[in-house]
Amino acid sequence: MTATTARADVDGASGALAFASEEDALRARFYGLIANLLAAPPDAAMLAELAHLEGDESDLGRPLGTLAAAARETVPQAVAGEFHDLFIGVGRGELLPYASYYLTGFLNEKPLARLRGAMRALGIERGPSVKEPEDHIAAIFDMMAGLISGRFGQPAELATQKAFFTAHLADWGPYFFRDLEKASAARFYAPLGALGGTFIAIEQAAFGMVE
Amino acid sequence: MTGRMEQEDAMSERNTRPHENRDGDAVTDRRGFLRLAGLGTLAGGAAVVTGGETVAGEPLEEGRAGGYRLTAHVRQAYDTARF
């Protein structure tokens, strides 16, 4: 069923990537989805694609279905306005989606330095188009996706993924997604908050099952 | 996925002491747990939204999420070693 299709899709699109498992390919997709929606508001093509996603009664399926329904009921302009109110604002947005802010109350503090150290060790750098500090939630999700998929050379060992997740996401990600789910400006983004929080909890539990 | 498989996955998920398993069992438990959590809901499509995580080794220069990529000197090292 679905799993086999996913493998075919992934391999077909790249012709080269060898995920360690079916589940890893799908984990990379979830990280990528959440990263993309938090990096910039979705355009019409992305909203249309989201609208076609079908949830189910699983833990991830429920918020994904709600997100798909929200995508069907909105337009790019409205989501862009919401994104602005949430993350950009006048002076600042309602939320500051940075590890450093969540862990210390200030931007560009020690958590950012720790992340940059980990990036150096893993050989990851910002693309030239990126302006935000590296500890932005979308950047960390993008890096997790890249570690799983092998964008940074080759797929990272599960232990490496777990160490990165534990050091840079686990301690503050749940609080950020809780805030996103409850943010006053959040409409389309509220179910993304639920999805992100659920996904982090599942990743945490799954990492807990291996050394 | 059959009901029987789901039942077995649920049983392994309730194993609260995975460290007592051999490594292989823990990995199997983890995969079963992830499947039950609903990862498959993203299996069919959504490639535009998930952001081209399918591009092997290609830096997403203008990737929406920032295009985090391999550093130049590490990439050069990989190239030299013909990874």
Side-chain angles (χ1 to χ4, degrees):
Chain A
M1 58 151 216
T2 49
T4 315
T5 314
R7 184 56 160 270
D9 283 351
V10 169
D11 288 346
S14 71
L17 253 207
F19 285 100
S21 75
E22 199 71 58
E23 288 72 32
D24 286 331
L26 294 169
R27 285 172 60 227
R29 285 189 166 204
F30 269 95
Y31 277 111
L33 171 78
I34 295 166
N36 283 330
L37 293 177
L38 290 171
D43 59 18
M46 292 178 68
L47 276 182
E49 203 173 67
L50 280 173
H52 281 106
L53 291 175
E54 289 178 19
D56 58 23
E57 284 308 304
S58 64
D59 288 345
L60 288 169
R62 279 189 296 272
L64 195 73
T66 310
L67 185 69
R72 286 192 286 273
E73 292 162 10
T74 191
V75 293
Q77 202 174 10
V79 183
E82 184 183 325
F83 186 92
H84 181 274
D85 292 343
L86 284 169
F87 302 118
I88 300 168
V90 179
R92 57 158 283 188
E94 185 175 349
L95 302 177
L96 287 168
Y98 299 94
S100 190
Y101 178 76
Y102 269 82
L103 294 173
T104 71
F106 299 94
L107 297 172
N108 305 320
E109 275 291 329
K110 201 167 275 182
L112 176 59
R114 282 197 304 119
L115 176 62
R116 285 176 171 160
M119 288 172 62
R120 270 194 298 278
L122 291 165
I124 304 171
E125 70 180 2
R126 269 193 302 196
S129 63
V130 188
K131 301 293 181 283
E132 299 87 9
E134 293 90 328
D135 62 342
H136 189 285
I137 185 77
I140 295 176
F141 265 67
D142 187 46
M143 285 185 251
M144 279 298 300
L147 287 173
I148 298 166
S149 73
R151 195 200 313 156
F152 310 125
Q154 49 194 310
E157 296 285 339
L158 197 55
T160 306
Q161 299 174 26
K162 179 178 180 176
F164 190 87
F165 175 94
T166 303
H168 306 292
L169 191 53
D171 288 346
W172 70 283
Y175 296 100
F176 164 73
F177 284 112
R178 181 203 58 193
D179 288 350
L180 181 59
E181 190 176 359
K182 299 183 185 314
S184 63
R187 302 289 179 274
F188 170 82
Y189 277 93
L192 185 68
L195 181 69
T198 300
F199 182 64
I200 285 197
I202 287 165
E203 278 285 275
Q204 177 113 47
F207 280 133
M209 302 174 85
V210 293
E211 292 292 340
Chain B
M1 184 177 290
T2 68
R4 175 67 182 278
M5 280 178 65
E6 286 177 355
Q7 197 173 31
E8 286 173 359
D9 284 341
M11 288 172 66
S12 59
E13 182 189 345
R14 283 197 293 274
N15 183 341
T16 53
R17 290 185 290 183
H19 298 305
E20 290 188 357
N21 288 339
R22 287 178 289 111
D23 286 351
D25 291 342
V27 169
T28 305
D29 284 354
R30 176 172 174 276
R31 288 181 184 169
F33 169 75
L34 285 167
R35 272 200 306 278
L36 272 186
L39 279 182
T41 47
L42 268 193
V48 173
V49 200
T50 55
E53 256 323 308
T54 56
V55 186
E58 291 292 324
L60 298 181
E61 301 285 1
E62 301 299 330
R64 295 178 57 85
Y68 280 79
R69 60 183 193 177
L70 200 61
T71 52
H73 72 275
V74 173
R75 194 184 312 164
Q76 191 172 12
Y78 278 124
D79 289 346
T80 307
R82 293 190 176 277
F83 271 107

